[in-house]
Amino acid sequence: MNYFPWLTIIVFLPISAGSLLFFLPHKGNKLIKWYTICICIFELLLTTYAFCYHFRLDDPLIQLAEDYKWINFFDFYWRLGIDGLSIGPILLTGFITTLATLAAWPVTRDSRLFHFLMLAMYSGQIGSFSSRDLLLFFIMWEFELIPVYLLLSMWGGKKRLYSATKFILYTAGGSVFLLIGVLGLGLYGSNEPTLNFETLANQSYPVALEIIFYIGFLIAFAVKSPIIPLHTWLPDTHGEAHYSTCMLLAGILLKMGAYGLVRINMELLPHAHSIFSPWLIIVGTMQIIYAASTSLGQRNLKKRIAYSSVSHMGFIIIGIGSITDTGLNGAILQIISHGFIGAALFFLAGTSYDRMRLVYLDEMGGMAVSIPKIFTMFSILSMASLALPGMSGFVAELIVFFGIITSQKYFLMPKILITFVMAIGMILTPIYSLSMSRQMFYGYKLFNAPSSYFFDSGPRELFVSISIFIPVIGIGIYPDLVLSLSGEKVETILYNYFYR
Amino acid sequence: MEHTYQYAWVIPLLPLPVIMSMGFGLFLIPTATKNLRRIWAFPSILLLSIALIFSVHLSIQQINGSSIYQYLWSWTINNDFSLEFGYLIDPLTSIMLILITTVGILVLIYSDDYMSHDEGYLRFFVYISFFNTAMLGLVTSSNLIQIYFFWELVGMCSYLLIGFWFTRPIAASACQKAFVTNRVGDFGLLLGILGSLEFRDLFKIANNWIPNNGVNSLLTTLCAFLLFLGAVAKSAQFPLHVWLPDAMEGPTPISALIHAATMVAAGIFLLARLLPLFISLPLIMSTITLFLGATLALAQRDIKRSLAYSTMSQLGYMMLALGMGSYQAALFHLITHAYSKALLFLGSGSIIHSMEPLVGYSPDKSQNMVLMGGLRKYVPITRTTFLCGTLSLCGIPPLACFWSKDEILSNSWLYSPFFGIIASFTAGLTAFYMFRIYLLTFDGYLRVHFQNYSSTKEGSFSTPFGAKNTFVYPHETGNTMLFPLLILQLFTLFVGSIGIHFDNEIKGNGISELTILSKWLTPSINFFQESSNSSINSYEFITNAISSVSLAILGLFIAYIFYGSTYSFFQNLNFLNSLVKGNPKKNFLDEVKKKIYSWSYNRGYIDVFYTRVFILGIRRLAELTYFFDKGVIDGITNGVGLAGFCIGEEIKYVGGGRISSYLFFFLCYVSLFLFVFP
């Protein structure tokens, strides 16, 4: 193994290259856009290269590890490393962020700052997915909130300040618990703080203390994930943000909560997790039904999609709570799959909003004739979102179903009940997603728009939607693409539950 | 001949290249693709023909050698679970393959003409070819997960095709209704599959899945019921049948292929695959369905809709046969019904096509039988084929459905007189409504030009021929559309022969192994039916046949009395008029008749009931959760925010920087302390 600091470079590249944006000559937005996209693509290629050649799939331990002492007096290290759990989200981050910058092409106001913030977010997200140190994880977690807040409060819709404030207060409130948990874990036991994931994973705590830590982390991740009843920031944020920001939010930011839940709650606090997992499953099941039926009542297009993401996150929670190999694999698959599908749906909703300038579903209608390509993509992706076989969502949900039904931990009757209720969500999903596409595209109603002629999506938008669509189909047909990444690591995590 | 078996996986994949190239072409370079237009139809038909040749070859081998061939690949392998993909060729599969490919090819040829002027011609071909792929995949699939996979894909194709003319709001809501109703069934299917996972080896297609009588027998029943729910939705059985009549909003070739011949048979296919699990489970549902479908078909004015109800009723027959355990009769009826109904639907498409220039392109008008009549003169070939299909469905001897329906009827009499009575009565009803459709469409005089009849509310026909406009008369459709009709007529005439017991060859042995069909199905029959109760001698057969035929003829006769032209055309119109207009009559009999008609015309009020209960219920639930979410959960958040803001304001006010107020507070607290702690 060579000691080339791949991960540090990957983490630092976007933000440092992004800060160069401010020194670029004032030659219009085009230069800035191209520069940003080149940086994104270069970063994605670099990540892929590093993972291709320096990451071995059959090794469940962390790889590409880096360990530098940062702050001397309390043992704070710059520790990075990836394993099977984080490689998927990192690649997803690269992919979605690149496409989101491409989607943000129409943004002209203050584009220098906008693109810088996108790149800063890129760094923060990769940093939090790849950090191996608890405090570093917290810092990265907080770091990427700032760009989101600014993106939301400057480039959002009418109620952007309200949404941005709500977002920052909600997540900062969650972060307090995260900080408490981090410090508690780090300072427990020994004289010197231990913040390394590896050492922490082998530490054991008194049950009461572990439960308290667990609750702290759970609240932080529940805000981010979101888990009901801490989800209300999400529809407001998604409703107001520009759609490139929405892509990042739905595609990556929500996944950080689920990732944290696996990485910290499951890996570091196994006893508490096995105590809490029935509750997680119950909450997840309720979330599927509750968010799906709330989504039905929404008139705002983006809010409806936002609630559908909340509903889909329920599957992840159930998969995490099932404590089976299968269920956890399904949860990870759902993280990736929903990252694609949610981002694509927001993108398409945004592009059609650009044309229609209408927010409410009941004002729309009859768009299929004028924008057939967006219509096609939107129908395909809403099919993907309702878990049509052949698309990634189906495999993920099916595997989660398998996970819960094969779980040894629960009795038969609760399992049957849980699966039954989850499957009711399967009936509700097509109702909202199909009625969404029906209200937008079907029919002949012409709304009171200034011009009734719209441009269909151009090559840029087509490229974005197709490039999201390909992995959705690819994972749906060959799920081992993702499962092979995470399989070994999942087994290692679950090993703790059965043999310790 | 292992080779054919080894390459059988290619059958479902055959139409795929055309779909891919057409789909991507339409998406990326629409103008260039659309310029090619009808050239695209050729490769799709060609590839499906290759699939047909393959499946014929397979079937011949099944008839001769009859071995079950299964091949599996792993789809995903993980430590704990693995999913497999594969294919399974057995008699059932080979029958379904032949059925799908033949009807599919004919429908493709037909729709080349039918859709030729439509803007979405290529889109239509993409959808329909994709449907063929999914359906072929469904019947060749080797485990339940795979069945579910294709089951959903087939449902999606149905959704897309029902909503093909998406600018029509009715079509838009019909396709959603179809998808959601099917999803209810899929819900059951998925749960059933998962349930079978719980206590059984997962990937054993349940050929040998005889329910064990152990602890989990209750669970087995539950799983069987849930799996059955999937079949109920797909095959439009009673509680979930509502989507099928609305599905007629799609183009007519689709109704022939998907909603009459193949996709709705998927439920029957599933039940036949897992038969021992479902013995006697479908009986009640299927009885209700077959009776309900027949009664609802009585008074429909839309030609396709009444055919749809008839399909539902006939599917009920198949379910009934499966419930009674007569596997062969069910499959036989599946085959004969598929061809006859495809013939009828394509014929109705041809009628609609010829009516459209007269009455306009709205389905309310061009499919309305009230406006038809007397088409005999104008579309003779369509009429002949349609008559053939009608008689076949009624159960008139030399035609296909007679043989199969007769088998089901006699089996149902053997099983229980109750089912026998209902099945026979429904057979009479079938003859009645089918002949009603025929007579309303082809008999009498063309009623289109009685414009005031349909548009205004004056009931009488005082000025029947007082129109000034020059009459346009319907024309026979083109050869491309007539060719599939004629081929299907041939099928309808002769397909019954695969199940006929040739008397001269019968001698002796217990299981009648003489019909081609039973020979075909031998392994499956041996598997499923320990004691085959079909040792029919010719005497019994003839008595059964006579009773069923007489019932059918009775139905025909009554229909002729009501709707026939020679028997007082005007009285008939008055009657029609009364049932449409609902004039109050004093006669009790008329009152009853009116009740029945209005019940039947309003689809038995089931749709209304569903709308009232489920749709409004879900809408109310949605509103409720919306307000809960907005009011309570978000309200708490906003409340906390607001409270924080208010407290901040208060503190700001308190900390205003005025020395006198500080002194005042200080003195207050000091005096408080002095009082409390003296």
Side-chain angles (χ1 to χ4, degrees), chain B residues 195-208:
Chain B
S196 66
L197 184 70
E198 167 61 27
F199 64 104
R200 271 274 151 199
D201 190 7
L202 165 59
F203 294 116
K204 217 155 251 171
I205 192 76
N207 271 341
N208 39 9

Side-chain angles (χ1 to χ4, degrees), chain A residues 269-325:
Chain A
L269 307 165
H271 297 292
H273 184 68
S274 57
I275 295 169
F276 270 90
S277 57
W279 300 104
L280 276 184
I281 287 183
I282 290 169
V283 169
T285 321
M286 276 168 58
Q287 177 166 346
I288 291 174
I289 300 293
Y290 176 81
S293 44
T294 318
S295 172
L296 276 174
Q298 300 291 331
R299 284 173 65 229
N300 187 324
L301 169 64
K302 277 174 150 181
K303 282 191 181 176
R304 188 174 273 205
I305 304 175
Y307 273 105
S308 94
S309 352
V310 177
S311 173
H312 284 108
M313 297 312 277
F315 281 98
I316 299 181
I317 299 165
I318 292 173
I320 291 172
S322 73
I323 320 192
T324 50
D325 210 346

Side-chain angles (χ1 to χ4, degrees), chain A residues 126-174:
Chain A
I126 290 183
S128 61
F129 282 130
S130 61
S131 65
R132 299 293 310 165
D133 187 279
L134 209 50
L135 200 58
L136 186 63
F137 178 78
F138 173 75
I139 289 170
M140 288 296 183
W141 177 276
E142 290 297 297
F143 172 68
E144 54 79 44
L145 289 185
I146 303 157
V148 180
Y149 173 74
L150 289 176
L151 281 172
L152 193 57
S153 62
M154 293 176 75
W155 285 270
K158 277 178 192 146
K159 280 173 70 184
R160 57 177 180 269
L161 278 179
Y162 168 75
S163 318
T165 314
K166 196 170 183 177
F167 169 77
I168 201 77
L169 286 183
Y170 239 119
T171 39

Side-chain angles (χ1 to χ4, degrees), chain B residues 270-296:
Chain B
L270 180 72
L271 255 60
R273 259 271 182 270
L274 309 174
L275 186 63
L277 200 63
F278 292 115
I279 284 289
S280 80
L281 187 65
L283 280 177
I284 296 167
M285 293 273 205
S286 64
T287 320
I288 296 172
T289 312
L290 79 101
F291 188 67
L292 190 75
T295 50
L296 294 187

Side-chain angles (χ1 to χ4, degrees), chain A residues 162 166 170 231 290 298 307 368 373 383 386 388-389 402 405 423 426 431 438 443-444 477 479-480 491, chain B residues 27 75-76 79 81 83 148 152 156 159 166-167 176 183 187 190 194 197-198 626 629 633-634 637-638:
Chain A
Y162 168 75
K166 196 170 183 177
Y170 239 119
H231 65 275
Y290 176 81
Q298 300 291 331
Y307 273 105
K373 282 174 187 166
M383 286 287 169
L386 58 82
L388 191 82
F402 278 168
I405 209 81
M426 227 183 72
I431 296 180
R438 176 172 59 86
Y444 57 87
I477 287 173
D480 275 4
E491 211 181 342
Chain B
F27 194 70
W75 180 32
T76 109
N79 304 314
F81 67 103
L83 302 177
Y148 181 81
E152 285 267 291
M156 182 205 68
Y159 165 80
F166 47 74
T167 44
Q176 197 185 347
R183 247 306 159 87
F187 154 81
L190 184 64
L194 292 172
L197 184 70
E198 167 61 27
Y626 175 66
D629 198 70
I633 297 183
D634 206 21
T637 316
N638 285 336

Side-chain angles (χ1 to χ4, degrees), chain A residues 39 50 55 343 358 404 406 431 496:
Chain A
I39 294 293
F55 186 82
L358 289 173
I404 186 79
T406 52
I431 296 180
N496 286 342

Side-chain angles (χ1 to χ4, degrees), chain B residues 139-156:
Chain B
V139 295
T140 47
S141 47
S142 66
N143 58 51
L144 279 173
I145 300 288
Q146 205 180 343
I147 283 184
Y148 181 81
F149 192 102
F150 287 113
W151 188 271
E152 285 267 291
L153 285 185
V154 164
M156 182 205 68

